[in-house]
């Protein structure tokens, strides 16, 4: 099964609108040289519309860093799928470790957000990952299984074909400490097996599972060479055109 690689940049709370547009244009140039892979960038909400305009018709996907579950209503601070669709956004990152650990989003809320994306025809990237203490206590697989089962509750086989999973070990995010390719592959294979047991084999075989956590030009090639790693969700190294270009051009 040939899964189309997806290289995604999460810009977090960085860049003004002008900086975001300049970087988006550079990313579009990098992506144009690689027709066999998808490239996505997720700017802060203030730059989403301008970035959508900047990359229009380049094939670069634009993602939001979160998404509401309702279409509209009294939800101060939230942005819905129809609002995102309206400006050209087609992807949403959901359940990022910073949303879970800094802002206290729980599995039930993350599951609602995922359904909000699916119902609004926005492709969700569901992020999961264990903390260092969970890993050291031997709980990695049970934590990830719970995050997957709760995060995907109520998702049917057909909807699952629209979902991307991102494995981001919390201890590897922004720390410079990447999971080894063996550690990442072991977890990705576990996730795929789990998806096969929840859905069916062809869904599990087709789903894209990204790795995130200190991905950089120096380690992208070895990560992408692993059989169950289908792409990367990149933070810090996605903020510089040169390093993200090298990651997009992985071999
Ligand atoms: P870093 O690449 O900076 O470790 O961030 C990873 C991440 O959180 C992407 O969503």
């Amino acid at each position: 099964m040939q899964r189309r690689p997806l290289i995604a940049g999460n810009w977090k709370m960085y860049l003004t609108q002008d900086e975001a547009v300049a970087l988006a244009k550079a990313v579009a140039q990098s992506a144009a040289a690689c027709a066999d892979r998808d490239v996505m960038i997720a700017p802060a909400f203030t730059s989403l519309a301008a970035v959508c305009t900047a990359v229009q018709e380049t094939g670069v996907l634009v993602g939001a860093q979160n998404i509401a579950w309702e279409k509209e209503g009294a939800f101060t601070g939230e942005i819905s799928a129809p609002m995102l669709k309206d400006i050209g956004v087609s992807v949403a990152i959901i359940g990022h470790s910073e949303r879970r650990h800094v802002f206290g989003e729980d599995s039930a809320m993350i599951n609602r957000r995922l359904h909000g994306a699916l119902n609004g025809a926005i492709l969700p990237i569901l992020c999961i990952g264990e903390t260092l203490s969970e890993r050291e206590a031997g709980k990695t697989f049970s934590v990830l299984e719970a995050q997957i089962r709760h995060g995907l509750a109520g998702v049917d086989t057909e909807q699952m074909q629209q979902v991307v999973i991102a494995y981001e070990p919390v201890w590897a995010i922004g720390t410079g400490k990447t999971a080894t390719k063996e550690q990442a592959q072991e977890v990705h294979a576990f996730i795929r097996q789990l998806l096969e047991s929840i859905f069916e084999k062809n869904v599990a075989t087709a789903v894209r599972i990204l790795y995130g956590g200190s991905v950089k030009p120096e380690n992208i090639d070895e990560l992408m060479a692993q059989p169950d790693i289908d792409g990367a969700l990149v933070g810090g190294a996605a903020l510089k055109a040169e390093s993200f270009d090298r990651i997009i051009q992985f071999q």
Side-chain angles (χ1 to χ4, degrees):
M1 169 89 205
Q2 214 35 35
R3 291 179 294 268
R4 190 174 163 83
L6 169 59
I7 301 294
N10 174 9
W11 293 355
K12 306 192 181 186
M13 198 173 72
Y14 291 100
L15 307 178
T16 61
Q17 184 170 258
D18 286 351
E19 291 165 345
V21 165
L23 181 56
K25 287 182 178 165
V27 170
Q29 280 195 335
S30 303
C34 306
D36 63 342
R37 53 202 69 176
D38 289 334
V39 174
M40 189 279 282
I41 45 180
F45 283 130
T46 50
S47 301
L48 272 177
V51 165
C52 283
T53 304
V55 301
Q56 217 165 16
E57 280 161 32
T58 64
V60 172
L61 305 170
V62 180
Q65 296 176 17
N66 210 347
I67 188 167
W69 51 87
E70 296 287 348
K71 291 196 185 96
E72 61 179 13
F75 297 99
T76 303
E78 293 286 327
I79 300 184
S80 72
M83 290 168 169
L84 293 167
K85 268 236 111 65
D86 179 50
I87 57 166
V89 172
S90 58
V91 183
I93 298 171
I94 297 173
H96 189 276
S97 135
E98 287 140 23
R99 297 307 315 173
R100 292 178 192 263
H101 297 289
V102 183
F103 297 98
E105 292 196 11
D106 63 11
S107 296
M109 181 184 285
I110 287 160
N111 178 249
R112 292 177 84 180
R113 293 191 187 281
L114 187 105
H115 283 285
L118 288 171
N119 293 337
I122 296 273
L123 187 142
I125 300 180
L126 174 66
C127 303
I128 58 169
E130 81 287 1
T131 62
L132 185 58
S133 61
E134 288 163 344
R135 176 164 279 265
E136 286 173 350
K139 293 185 187 156
T140 297
F141 294 126
S142 60
V143 166
L144 296 175
E145 177 165 356
Q147 289 176 344
I148 292 254
R149 287 190 184 277
H150 292 139
L152 296 176
V155 172
D156 65 29
T157 298
E158 203 183 313
Q159 288 173 317
M160 192 57 208
Q161 291 167 20
Q162 306 303 319
V163 177
V164 173
I165 306 284
Y167 168 56
E168 299 203 298
V170 180
W171 48 271
I173 296 177
T175 57
K177 203 176 159 192
T178 322
T180 64
K181 58 186 192 301
E182 293 83 8
Q183 283 172 322
Q185 166 57 26
E186 181 189 32
V187 168
H188 282 229
F190 166 79
I191 294 168
R192 205 176 298 286
Q193 255 175 7
L194 178 62
L195 292 174
E196 185 177 329
S197 73
I198 301 173
F199 298 95
E200 41 184 76
K201 187 168 176 63
N202 57 351
V203 174
T205 308
V207 70
R208 289 185 288 185
I209 307 175
L210 316 182
Y211 169 78
S214 298
V215 172
K216 38 196 175 223
E218 295 75 31
N219 57 28
I220 186 65
D221 295 341
E222 62 177 31
L223 287 164
M224 290 305 293
Q226 303 306 306
D228 288 293
I229 299 183
D230 308 312
L233 183 53
V234 187
L239 289 168
K240 294 257 156 34
E242 203 179 19
S243 52
F244 198 51
D245 174 70
R246 175 62 186 85
I247 292 169
I248 291 170
Q249 319 283 343
F250 76 85
Q251 277 126 38

